[in-house]
Amino acid sequence: MFREKYYSMNEQITPDQKLVDKIINSIDETKRETNKRRIVYRQSIIVFAVFIVLVFAAMPVLAGNIPVVYEIIYSISPSIAQRFIPVKKSCENDGIKMEVISAYIHGNTAEIYIAMRDLVGERIDETTDLYDSYSINRPFDASATCKLVSFDKTTKTATFLISITEWGNQKIVGDKITFSVREFISHKHEYNEIPINVDLTNIKNTQSTKQVWVNGGSGPKFEEYVSVPLAESKVKVLVPSSPMSFPVKDIDFTGIGYVDGMLHIQTSIINNLTKDNHGYFFLKDARGNNIQCDYHVGFVENSYSDNRIDYNEYVFDIPQSEIGQYSLYGTFVTSGLYTKGNWQVTFPLEEFKE
Amino acid sequence: MEQQPLETDDCIRNVIKLYSNMVYRLAFSQTRNKSNADDIYQEVFFRYIKKRPQFQTERHEKAWFIRVTINCCKKMWLSSWIKKIVPLDETIVFEFKEEINLHYELQKLPMKYRAVIHLFYYEDMSVEEISEMLNRKPSTVRTQLTRARYILKEILKEDYDV
């Protein structure tokens, strides 16, 4: 349903013919301009080189008095760094301090640097992820993004850049916004392309299957094997077994077997809403080529209890007679720490004045 | 001596026509704004005309246009706060009300999810292809697809099954 609507909506989006003509007409103009540009090019390099020398000559003087975040901004663009207005509003909860360092407002967009620092422990590290758990309350409709831009080991401070763009193309200066964080995950561990010690030649057909409602999935053959919309039919999966030997902590290996001629591999994660552990399996053939699964489904047991279990099942369309030619590998990310709290800062959006 | 591109102007015209809609739709899917999509569309094809890159296969050619469009969108988000661009409030008029609603709901989707949604649902690309195209891990793409679907499902309630 969504695919059809999305497709139909996009089919109505086309560039104006004038725009297309402009591009096509520019083919000849570009040829003519190329020679001119080559002359200007060398002069530009000299000007740029002089500019870089001046910027870096000024850096040590500035860096002595500015926090780490300014050094980051200066390294990207000194002129922009000067336009950031210091905010310095902070709050502290459970030994973790959140501080709004600075903001830069321009038109309908606000760029805000926020630092989080653990004053008493090691809960914040370079893998800290606010994981969609931050919220931004503002008196205007807007879209916002938040990303980790740096981590300073000495001060144990993670710095995040929040970008907010107002939708109506109206100026947002003078408004107040509230940035709050209720939880975050940190101490992530990556298991990159690790071998999974399973003898694939011993994998048998399994009768131990069940039908479940799936809550998502992906893969090139996903729609071939899983009815969309997902709410309309069930999907055949392995009945989870007791966790077997698996090199990834906090992800359980709960099944492997052939079902209807396809290799099914199943993992489970308990209470994943507080972890965001995830990953995927792939096969390697004798030549070292990676073969991704044909489709993957996710399903949940005990959805509304404290013991929620999220299952993932990866399915490979490789005949049982050929599976001995492959080895099983996986890439996974797990988080070691989930921290809850209440950090909230309200601050005004002020514009830089020359 | 500088190597001259092999493509003739006619070839370039044909390539522009071939990828015109794809580039524009991808740009619009990212920006949800006509004037920004216009800017990105021009930037992508100006780059193509200037560089005249050679491709071994049509697949490589398509991948180049998708990557450059995504990069131009990222560049626009970064540079718009330098240039103080205030985009014109122009939009595209869709045929049905539910498509207009869908367009506005997609505006609420975080930027990082828009590309995966478009490449998966419109360009019919697999998670692995998207992962290669966006230089994100397949697991990240899967997670982003799942989260984007969840957000859309929440927003659109029972109107759409994604």
Side-chain angles (χ1 to χ4, degrees):
Chain A
M1 183 85 172
F2 175 79
R3 185 181 286 272
E4 285 80 27
K5 292 288 168 211
Y6 189 80
Y7 189 87
S8 155
M9 183 189 73
N10 273 283
E11 284 296 294
Q12 297 168 50
I13 300 167
T14 51
D16 290 341
Q17 192 53 46
K18 279 183 189 172
L19 193 62
V20 181
D21 293 341
K22 186 180 167 188
I23 294 292
I24 288 174
N25 293 335
S26 73
I27 297 171
D28 293 333
E29 286 167 23
T30 313
K31 268 186 183 173
R32 283 197 295 274
E33 281 177 10
T34 308
N35 289 335
K36 281 187 201 169
R37 254 190 233 127
R38 278 182 192 144
I39 298 163
V40 178
Y41 185 61
R42 281 184 191 162
Q43 290 173 343
S44 305
I45 288 176
I46 294 164
V47 171
F48 182 69
V50 171
F51 173 73
I52 290 293
V53 167
L54 288 173
V55 164
F56 280 93
M59 275 289 281
V61 180
L62 295 164
N65 297 320
I66 54 178
V68 177
V69 66
Y70 276 99
E71 290 181 35
I72 297 164
I73 312 168
Y74 266 95
S75 68
I76 299 165
S77 169
S79 61
I80 293 304
Q82 287 166 0
R83 288 171 183 273
F84 271 84
I85 293 179
V87 177
K88 292 190 174 172
K89 293 224 172 189
S90 63
C91 77
E92 195 181 318
N93 177 237
D94 195 21
I96 291 175
K97 184 179 179 184
M98 185 173 84
E99 182 176 7
V100 182
I101 299 169
S102 60
Y104 171 49
I105 316 296
H106 43 98
N108 64 340
T109 299
E111 311 271 336
I112 300 150
Y113 279 93
I114 284 180
M116 289 189 77
R117 180 180 179 188
D118 193 343
L119 304 171
V120 295
E122 306 275 343
R123 287 165 292 180
I124 288 178
D125 67 353
E126 64 272 27
T127 67
T128 302
D129 183 355
L130 298 185
Y131 177 55
D132 295 351
S133 61
Y134 63 92
S135 66
I136 300 165
N137 294 322
R138 63 272 177 183
F140 48 84
D141 289 335
S143 57
T145 59
C146 173
K147 67 173 180 180
L148 178 74
V149 289
S150 81
F151 177 72
D152 184 46
K153 281 184 182 168
T154 323
T155 59
K156 298 171 197 167
T157 304
T159 307
F160 298 90
L161 171 62
I162 298 158
S163 307
I164 308 171
T165 304
E166 193 265 346
W167 291 335
N169 298 321
Q170 292 169 7
K171 286 207 167 188
I172 54 181
V173 172
D175 287 323
K176 276 187 178 179
I177 66 167
T178 300
F179 181 79
S180 54
V181 175
R182 302 261 180 255
E183 58 196 347
F184 64 85
I185 52 179
S186 56
H187 294 270
K188 283 189 192 172
H189 188 80
E190 279 195 29
Y191 300 81
N192 204 16
E193 302 206 351
I194 56 164
I196 310 296
N197 193 17
V198 174
D199 183 0
L200 295 174
T201 52
N202 286 336
I203 304 303
K204 308 290 181 209
N205 284 322
T206 180
Q207 303 301 316
S208 187
T209 61
K210 63 176 184 175
Q211 301 278 340
V212 294
W213 299 110
V214 298
N215 60 358
S218 62
K221 294 187 180 174
F222 178 76
E223 291 193 4
E224 191 178 322
Y225 290 96
V226 181
S227 297
V228 178
L230 298 176
E232 284 184 2
S233 68
K234 289 185 169 182
V235 175
K236 192 190 277 186
V237 297
L238 300 169
V239 172
S241 67
S242 301
M244 297 177 274
S245 167
F246 195 52
V248 181
K249 196 184 164 200
D250 274 342
I251 294 181
D252 292 328
F253 189 51
T254 49
I256 183 165
Y258 262 89
V259 179
D260 300 332
M262 296 171 88
L263 177 66
H264 286 233
I265 301 169
Q266 188 190 75
T267 58
S268 73
I269 305 162
I270 297 169
N271 290 330
N272 200 33
L273 293 179
T274 60
K275 297 172 187 165
D276 194 32
N277 293 352
H278 56 273
Y280 64 95
F281 290 97
F282 61 93
L283 297 168
K284 252 188 204 300
D285 67 13
R287 291 180 180 175
N289 299 318
N290 291 356
I291 291 95
Q292 304 295 339
C293 72
D294 288 280
Y295 72 93
H296 143 260
V297 292
F299 60 99
V300 182
E301 280 182 5
N302 313 329
S303 291
Y304 303 105
S305 79
D306 291 339
N307 199 32
R308 175 187 165 114
I309 306 174
D310 280 272
Y311 289 92
N312 283 293
E313 190 146 322
Y314 305 84
V315 182
F316 296 85
D317 192 3
I318 306 274
Q320 205 166 351
S321 57
E322 295 171 17
I323 198 65
Q325 299 164 22
Y326 298 87
S327 309
L328 184 61
Y329 284 77
T331 290
F332 304 92
V333 179
T334 60
S335 64
L337 195 62
Y338 169 72
T339 307
K340 279 186 95 165
N342 184 13
W343 300 273
Q344 184 170 304
V345 178
T346 300
F347 57 99
L349 296 173
E350 292 171 353
E351 196 167 33
F352 173 80
K353 290 189 178 70
E354 299 282 353
Chain B
M1 189 166 166
E2 196 173 321
Q3 197 178 354
Q4 290 298 314
L6 296 172
E7 284 186 317
T8 64
D9 288 355
D10 276 347
C11 286
I12 293 173
R13 278 188 195 94
N14 289 338
V15 170
I16 293 170
K17 284 175 187 167
L18 181 65
Y19 293 106
S20 194
N21 284 345
M22 184 195 81
V23 167
Y24 194 79
R25 285 165 187 164
L26 180 57
F28 189 84
S29 77
Q30 300 301 287
T31 61
R32 311 303 313 171
N33 176 290
K34 191 173 180 302
S35 59
N36 285 339
D38 286 352
D39 288 346
I40 287 162
Y41 175 88
Q42 293 181 74
E43 173 72 20
V44 171
F45 285 111
F46 282 146
R47 281 193 197 187
Y48 175 74
I49 294 166
K50 257 167 64 181
K51 290 193 174 178
R52 302 194 180 196
Q54 304 292 309
F55 303 102
Q56 289 175 341
T57 64
E58 205 171 292
R59 190 171 171 267
H60 286 127
E61 191 170 61
K62 184 178 176 182
W64 186 90
F65 277 105
I66 290 175
R67 277 204 198 97
V68 173
T69 308
I70 297 284
N71 288 341
C72 287
C73 292
K74 283 182 188 164
K75 192 182 154 200
M76 188 202 72
W77 285 113
L78 287 173
S79 66
S80 63
W81 49 294
I82 296 170
K83 293 179 182 172
K84 297 190 174 183
I85 290 170
V86 179
L88 297 170
D89 191 17
E90 283 182 284
T91 192
I92 289 172
V93 179
F94 294 102
E95 201 174 339
F96 299 108
K97 193 187 166 193
E98 52 190 2
E99 288 164 348
I100 298 168
N101 291 341
L102 179 57
H103 164 64
Y104 284 113
E105 298 308 337
L106 286 164
Q107 282 185 332
K108 297 176 193 171
L109 206 59
M111 288 297 295
K112 62 184 176 184
Y113 299 151
R114 293 184 192 177
V116 290
I117 283 285
H118 186 80
L119 296 178
F120 188 80
Y121 284 107
Y122 188 73
E123 293 297 335
D124 263 338
M125 292 170 74
S126 67
V127 167
E128 287 69 31
E129 285 171 319
I130 298 170
S131 144
E132 200 182 321
M133 204 66 72
L134 301 180
N135 199 19
R136 297 175 195 171
K137 289 179 183 173
S139 59
T140 307
V141 173
R142 278 194 195 98
T143 305
Q144 290 180 340
L145 262 177
T146 308
R147 287 186 187 167
R149 285 191 192 109
Y150 181 77
I151 293 169
L152 287 169
K153 206 166 187 176
E154 283 291 299
I155 293 168
L156 301 167
K157 304 294 177 198
E158 62 282 351
D159 289 344
Y160 296 95
D161 284 303
V162 292

